[in-house]
Amino acid sequence: MQWLDRPLVLVGLMGVGKSTVGKRLATDLGIDFVDADEEIETAAQMTISEIFERFGEPYFRDGERRVISRLIDCVPRVIATGGGAFMNDQTRALILQGAIAIWLDADLATLVERVSRRNTRPLLKNGNPGEVLAKLAEVRNPVYAQAQIHVRSKDGPHHRTVLTILEALARWHG
Ligand code: S3P
């Protein structure tokens, strides 16, 4: 993908596979992969759960915005973002202007199954994950829809999703 002159930013709900798909996509394209959540944890020297507990969500969102703005620098790389990053007006504007946003989307049952594999997500610690995700989908999906590219992640192997992204990118470029 010789024409690629900026980062590809994966957005979408928790559990959709942004990190796994992002790593494979980066490998296929021969470019770097960066996980924004991991960058935030490294910068803060704390896990995301600890940041939420000690400083609250607004503090986390501010760190998230700063990390993402540092990563959007005209270098083609794949960036996986946390599910809430694109909801922040400033972060979203940065992504839409300086990168290509790819909304990875899956049905609720798939998301619920995938988030059950890891219990480190602060927003899913209180309450039923299915209900929390359904509410988040209602609020967030119209915003994720602003991404330049929309790809549905089927309940199949991630490499199939990567192929779908590559095809969508080629179409988008024209
Ligand atoms: C969040 C998603 C998480 C993480 C934080 C908040 C969200 O990332 O950034 O727990 O608001 O949806 P993943 O989408 O990678 O799970």
Side-chain angles (χ1 to χ4, degrees):
M1 221 152 269
Q2 296 290 339
W3 55 269
L4 195 63
D5 59 355
R6 51 201 143 141
L8 301 173
V9 177
L10 296 179
V11 304
L13 284 174
M14 293 177 267
V16 78
K18 299 176 296 275
S19 300
T20 315
V21 167
K23 270 181 211 155
R24 281 176 173 269
L25 177 64
T27 305
D28 280 13
L29 290 170
I31 56 182
D32 284 341
F33 169 78
V34 189
D35 187 304
D37 277 348
E38 279 177 15
E39 293 288 308
I40 297 163
E41 291 186 328
T42 305
Q45 291 290 297
M46 259 182 272
T47 65
I48 288 173
S49 284
E50 283 166 348
I51 302 174
F52 267 71
E53 269 165 38
R54 290 177 60 178
F55 302 108
E57 185 171 345
Y59 180 90
F60 170 76
R61 297 296 172 203
D62 195 50
E64 184 171 54
R65 179 186 52 75
R66 276 184 278 119
V67 162
I68 292 173
S69 74
R70 171 169 60 76
L71 293 173
I72 300 206
D73 56 358
C74 304
V75 176
R77 55 160 74 99
V78 178
I79 305 170
T81 60
F86 205 60
M87 295 306 114
N88 178 292
D89 291 344
Q90 280 174 290
T91 308
R92 187 172 62 255
L94 273 168
I95 296 172
L96 290 173
Q97 279 157 26
I100 303 169
I102 301 169
W103 173 23
L104 260 192
D105 182 19
D107 58 58
L108 206 58
T110 304
L111 296 177
V112 171
E113 198 277 313
R114 290 193 187 145
V115 295
S116 70
R117 298 175 196 168
R118 173 156 82 78
N119 68 346
T120 55
R121 294 179 169 101
L123 297 183
L124 298 180
K125 279 189 176 159
N126 310 308
N128 173 302
E131 283 170 17
V132 175
L133 282 165
K135 278 195 193 124
L136 287 175
E138 205 180 312
V139 174
R140 292 180 175 181
N141 285 357
V143 182
Y144 291 141
Q146 293 178 39
Q148 286 96 333
I149 290 175
H150 179 190
V151 164
R152 282 193 68 79
S153 149
K154 307 255 167 36
D155 189 16
H158 283 309
H159 72 84
R160 207 166 290 262
T161 306
V162 172
L163 278 180
T164 312
I165 294 176
L166 292 171
E167 285 162 11
L169 271 169
R171 267 200 308 280
W172 180 79
H173 179 61

